[in-house]
Amino acid sequence: MTDAPYQVGQHPDLPPPPSTTGVIGWMRNNLFSSWANALLTIASVLLIYGLATSLYKWGFANADFQGASRNDCTSGGACWALINVRFGQFIYGFYPESQRWRVNLTFIGFLVALWPLLFTGAPARKQLLWYAGVYPILAFVLLLGGFGIEKVETAKFGGFMLTLVIGVTGIAVSLPLGIMLALGRRSDMIFIRAICVGFIEFIRGVPLITLLFVASTLLSFFLPPGTSFDLLLRVLIMVTLFSSAYIAEVVRGGLQAIPVGQQEAANSLGLGYWKTMYLIILPQALKISIPGIVNSFIGLFKDTTLVAIIGLLDPLGIGRAALADTKWQGLAGEVYVFVAILFFIFSFSMSRYSLYLEKKLHVGHES
Amino acid sequence: MSEALVSDAPGSVSADDVLIQIIGMHKWFGSFHVLKDINLTVHRGEKIVVCGPSGSGKSTMIRCINRLEEHQRGQIIVEGIELTNDLKKIDEVRREVGMVFQQFNLFPHLTVLENCSLGPIWVRKMPKREAEEVAMRYLERVKIPEQAAKYPGQLSGGQQQRVAIARSLCMSPNVMLFDEPTSALDPEMIKEVLDVMIGLAEDGMTMLVVTHEMGFARKVADRVIFMDEGEIIEQNKPLEFFENPQSERTKLFLSQILNH
C-alpha cells in the first residue's frame, strides 16, 4: 500500500502499522520476539501450570478440612483440620472466648477509622476523621476492658489480633515520630540535630530482637522498683521506636529531594517554619517517600513475629504450640502456609494501597 | 557614604518615602567576600534595574533584602524594620516584600489558584473565599485566569512565571524583588513576562529587578545599578547609564551584552 501524495508541510497523521498494536502486536513484542523468547515463554507456561495444579491438588482437591486429629486426614493432601480446630487461637490468642466479639468489634471499628484516612473520597469524611481521632481510645477500652466491661489482661492477647495491635500501633505512632526525627535531623539547632542523629543511628545499629530483649528484661532495672510495666506496652514502645528510626531516614531522603527554592518561595511569602513544612515541604517529601514508608511498614508488620521469641503468642507462637500437640504432629507445612497467607493478605494490601496512592498523587504534577 | 547619598536621590523625593535602606552592608559566603560595602536607598515607587556579570553579587544583594541570605555587617532597613536575627521581624519584612525567582518556584502539588491564595489564607489570615477572589483578581491581571484550576506542571514557563508574579502580588507587597525573572524562559515567552512587569511598573509598584533585559531597563527603570565583584560600581538614570557609562568595567560589560 502506498500513501497518498501530500504537500510539504501538510503530511497527514497516519495510524501505526497494525502489527505493532493490539493483542497480536503485544504478544509478538513481549512473548515471541525471538526464538529464545518463544522457548522461554512456553517453558514458563508449562512450569506455572505444573506448580499450580500440584498446589491445587495438595491444598484443595486432596485436602481434608474436618477432623479431630491427624488420623482423620486420609485423603493424602493438606490437613487443614488442624487450622480449623485451632482457628480461634490463631486469630484471638487466649482472649476469653465469651469476649471475642470485642476483638471483632474493634477490628470493624478499625476498618471504619481507616476508611477516611486512606480514601479522600469517603462520604462524611470530616465526621469519620473525628471518629478516627478518638478511635485509639475506643480500641484501648474495648480490648482491655474497664468502664463496666470485663477486664482482659494483655498476657491473654495473642494470634493475629496481637500482630494487628502491635503492627497498627507501631505504624500509627512511628510515622509522626519518624517525621519529627527527620525534621530534627535537618534542623539548624545543633542539640536537636545531635539528639536525633544519635537516636536514629543507635536504633538502626541494633537488631530489633535485641531491643525486644531489653524491653522484656532490662527495662525493669531502669524503672523505680515496684512499678509493673506491661510487657506488651514495652514491646509496643520498642517496636515503635525501632520503626520510627527507619521512617525518619526514608522521610529525610524525601526532604532532600525537594529543591531549596520551595523553601525560599514559602519563606518569601512570609510563611514560618512549621507552616512551610506542613503546607509546602512535607506534602511533597512524603509523596516521594511513599514507597519507602510503606516498605518500612510492611517490614514492621512482619517483624512483629519476633515477639514470639520473648514469649508473646503471635500466630507463629500459636503455630508452634499447635505443632507440639501429639495429635497433630508433622503438619508444619499447613501451619506455616496458613500463617503466611494471613500475613500476605495484609502486606499485599498495603503494597497495593501504596501504588494506588502514588498514582493518585501523581496527577498533573509532572513539571 | 555621603557620596552614595548624593547619587541616590533621583528627582525630588522626600526622606519619608524611603522604603529600603541598605547601609554599609557586607556579606561573606564562608571566607569569600561576596558583597562589599553596599549602600543603597530605594524610594517608594522607584524602579531599579540591577545588572552586572554573573557572580557579581547582584542576586545575593536582593536576596538579602528579604533575608533569604543573611548579611554579616551593616544595616538593612525595610519599611522602618531593621533585619536582624529576630524571626518575627524577618517574617514581618517578608510579608511586605514580594519575590519572583528565576526558577519560578511554584508549589507543584498545589493548583495555580491554591498557589496564589495560600499566602493570603495562612499569612494574612484571610477567609478562603476572599483569598480566592484576590487570587483570581491577580490572575486576571497577569492574564491567565483560565489556568486557575491547573497545576504548575501543566503550564508553559512564561505562564508559570506570570503565576509566580500573581502569587507575590496576592500578598499586596509594598515592593517586588525580581531575581532574573526571564533568564530561565524560552525566548518567545520572555515578552509576556516583561509585559506584565511593565504593567506593574506603570501602576506604580516599587521594583528591584536583577535582569539582563536592557530593553526593559531603558523603558521602565528610574535607575540602573551596575555591580561587579561584590560592589556597586556605578548607578545612573538609564539614558545616562547606557549612553555615557563612567567606569571602564561598565563600558566593557555593556559592550559585551549589547554587541551580539
Side-chain angles (χ1 to χ4, degrees):
Chain A
M1 189 185 98
T2 50
D3 295 332
Y6 67 93
Q7 293 235 307
V8 172
Q10 310 258 314
H11 197 299
D13 293 331
L14 301 175
S19 64
T20 58
T21 56
V23 179
I24 308 238
W26 183 85
M27 282 175 58
R28 204 146 95 180
N29 282 329
N30 294 288
L31 299 179
F32 302 102
S33 61
S34 67
W35 274 108
N37 194 353
L39 278 176
L40 269 177
T41 301
I42 292 165
S44 309
V45 167
L46 288 176
L47 187 72
I48 292 169
Y49 176 76
L51 275 176
T53 47
S54 51
L55 204 62
Y56 173 74
K57 273 186 203 152
W58 179 78
F60 292 96
N62 297 336
D64 291 289
F65 294 90
Q66 303 292 336
S69 78
R70 170 134 210 214
N71 298 333
D72 296 335
C73 295
T74 49
S75 310
C79 185
W80 297 121
L82 165 62
I83 307 298
N84 215 343
V85 169
R86 299 255 180 170
F87 189 77
Q89 273 187 21
F90 271 113
I91 301 299
Y92 304 100
F94 296 96
Y95 209 85
E97 228 163 296
S98 63
Q99 303 293 321
R100 282 180 183 171
W101 61 271
R102 281 156 57 181
V103 179
N104 295 339
L105 191 60
T106 313
F107 185 66
I108 293 169
F110 168 67
L111 293 182
V112 176
L114 212 53
W115 197 23
L117 292 175
L118 297 189
F119 302 101
T120 44
R125 185 159 186 252
K126 218 167 187 181
Q127 288 83 343
L128 279 175
L129 279 176
W130 273 105
Y131 162 72
V134 294
Y135 171 77
I137 304 168
L138 286 177
F140 184 84
V141 173
L142 259 177
L143 289 179
L144 286 170
F147 298 103
I149 316 178
E150 186 185 329
K151 288 204 173 187
V152 178
E153 293 199 3
T154 56
K156 296 244 167 72
F157 286 24
F160 208 65
M161 164 223 171
L162 180 69
T163 302
L164 279 179
V165 167
I166 300 175
V168 171
T169 313
I171 287 171
V173 182
S174 69
L175 182 61
L177 204 59
I179 292 172
M180 295 313 291
L181 282 168
L183 291 178
R185 190 166 186 167
R186 287 164 54 89
S187 167
D188 293 333
M189 286 175 261
I190 286 181
F191 276 104
I192 290 185
R193 190 166 64 220
I195 290 170
C196 292
V197 171
F199 177 84
I200 291 169
E201 295 303 338
F202 170 73
I203 297 275
R204 287 206 308 164
V206 176
L208 175 57
I209 190 69
T210 321
L211 292 176
L212 290 177
F213 275 125
V214 169
S216 75
T217 57
L218 268 181
L219 221 55
S220 43
F221 285 110
F222 299 118
L223 295 167
T227 44
S228 77
F229 198 31
D230 192 272
L231 177 62
L232 177 59
L233 181 59
R234 286 187 257 171
V235 166
L236 279 176
I237 291 172
M238 284 305 184
V239 167
T240 303
L241 293 182
F242 187 78
S243 169
S244 66
Y246 281 85
I247 299 284
E249 286 301 279
V250 173
V251 172
R252 185 168 70 100
L255 289 172
Q256 266 162 356
I258 307 302
V260 66
Q262 291 289 307
Q263 173 109 39
E264 290 179 350
N267 285 346
S268 65
L269 285 177
L271 291 167
Y273 176 82
W274 290 108
K275 281 181 189 164
T276 301
M277 289 300 143
Y278 170 69
L279 295 167
I280 308 300
I281 307 297
L282 280 176
Q284 297 182 60
L286 291 180
K287 190 187 105 189
I288 304 174
S289 315
I290 289 170
I293 291 175
V294 174
N295 195 29
S296 296
F297 283 170
I298 291 175
L300 159 75
F301 192 69
K302 295 191 300 178
D303 278 351
T304 55
T305 50
L306 287 173
V307 300
I309 298 175
I310 57 164
L312 294 180
L313 289 172
D314 82 314
L316 276 187
I318 299 278
R320 223 180 309 158
L323 288 175
D325 190 335
T326 46
K327 279 194 293 185
W328 299 100
Q329 274 181 345
L331 295 179
E334 283 81 346
V335 167
Y336 289 121
V337 166
F338 174 68
V339 174
I341 290 171
L342 278 185
F343 274 97
F344 183 78
I345 290 169
F346 281 84
S347 303
F348 189 63
S349 310
M350 282 195 255
S351 161
R352 297 312 294 183
Y353 177 73
S354 119
L355 282 180
Y356 155 82
L357 201 60
E358 272 173 63
K359 253 191 211 146
K360 194 184 93 174
L361 293 178
H362 196 63
V363 178
H365 284 193
E366 50 279 8
S367 51
Chain B
M1 234 345 261
S2 57
E3 184 191 279
L5 280 179
V6 172
S7 61
D8 255 6
S12 56
V13 261
S14 72
D16 300 338
D17 277 345
V18 172
L19 209 164
I20 299 170
Q21 193 158 29
I22 303 178
I23 305 161
M25 188 258 280
H26 291 253
K27 170 162 184 63
W28 289 262
F29 281 131
S31 59
F32 176 53
H33 199 169
V34 274
L35 292 176
K36 301 164 185 164
D37 193 25
I38 301 292
N39 291 286
L40 178 67
T41 306
V42 181
H43 297 88
R44 209 170 294 282
E46 211 180 352
K47 293 106 186 88
I48 297 177
V49 163
V50 184
C51 62
S54 67
S56 58
K58 50 198 192 306
S59 285
T60 309
M61 181 182 79
I62 70 162
R63 284 161 61 87
C64 282
I65 294 172
N66 67 349
R67 196 68 166 192
L68 289 182
E69 304 287 354
E70 197 179 323
H71 62 282
Q72 280 96 21
R73 245 179 76 185
Q75 281 179 299
I76 301 176
I77 301 159
V78 182
E79 288 285 16
I81 306 163
E82 185 179 350
L83 281 167
T84 59
N85 280 325
D86 187 342
L87 290 177
K88 235 179 175 168
K89 285 192 174 162
I90 292 173
D91 280 341
E92 236 172 281
V93 166
R94 283 174 175 165
R95 257 174 269 159
E96 308 308 327
V97 179
M99 182 143 198
V100 175
F101 300 86
Q102 185 177 357
Q103 299 296 342
F104 328 137
N105 295 347
L106 292 176
F107 307 129
H109 61 302
L110 302 177
T111 64
V112 165
L113 187 66
E114 288 166 338
N115 262 279
C116 293
S117 58
L118 184 100
I121 291 174
W122 290 89
V123 179
R124 296 264 187 238
K125 311 279 180 222
M126 208 182 269
K128 188 172 175 221
R129 179 173 305 222
E130 199 182 320
E132 284 176 352
E133 277 166 22
V134 170
M136 283 312 294
R137 197 157 69 231
Y138 284 109
L139 285 173
E140 266 157 39
R141 180 154 171 190
V142 300
K143 302 188 180 67
I144 35 175
E146 71 281 2
Q147 311 286 2
K150 287 193 183 167
Y151 286 93
Q154 297 167 308
L155 305 185
S156 73
Q159 289 173 324
Q160 289 193 47
Q161 192 61 298
R162 285 187 282 152
V163 173
I165 294 172
R167 177 176 69 178
S168 279
L169 291 175
C170 284
M171 290 293 293
S172 14
N174 295 338
V175 53
M176 290 280 286
L177 308 175
F178 292 84
D179 187 2
E180 306 207 25
T182 56
S183 301
L185 295 175
D186 291 335
E188 73 265 30
M189 295 171 182
I190 291 177
K191 187 176 176 299
E192 65 188 57
V193 171
L194 288 181
D195 283 347
V196 167
M197 290 168 63
I198 291 167
L200 205 54
E202 283 165 355
D203 289 352
M205 176 63 79
T206 313
M207 295 162 75
L208 249 95
V209 186
V210 173
T211 186
H212 294 127
E213 296 294 333
M214 289 305 132
F216 174 80
R218 276 177 202 272
K219 201 165 189 173
V220 169
D222 297 314
R223 192 164 22 137
V224 179
I225 291 178
F226 175 71
M227 288 183 72
D228 193 17
E229 294 182 356
E231 285 181 79
I232 294 179
I233 303 292
E234 175 164 356
Q235 47 183 317
N236 218 328
K237 289 182 181 155
L239 201 65
E240 283 291 299
F241 179 83
F242 290 113
E243 302 306 324
N244 193 13
Q246 301 297 308
S247 84
E248 283 308 311
R249 279 196 264 183
T250 316
K251 283 176 196 164
L252 181 66
F253 175 75
L254 286 176
S255 74
Q256 276 164 343
I257 65 162
L258 295 177
N259 303 329
H260 56 75

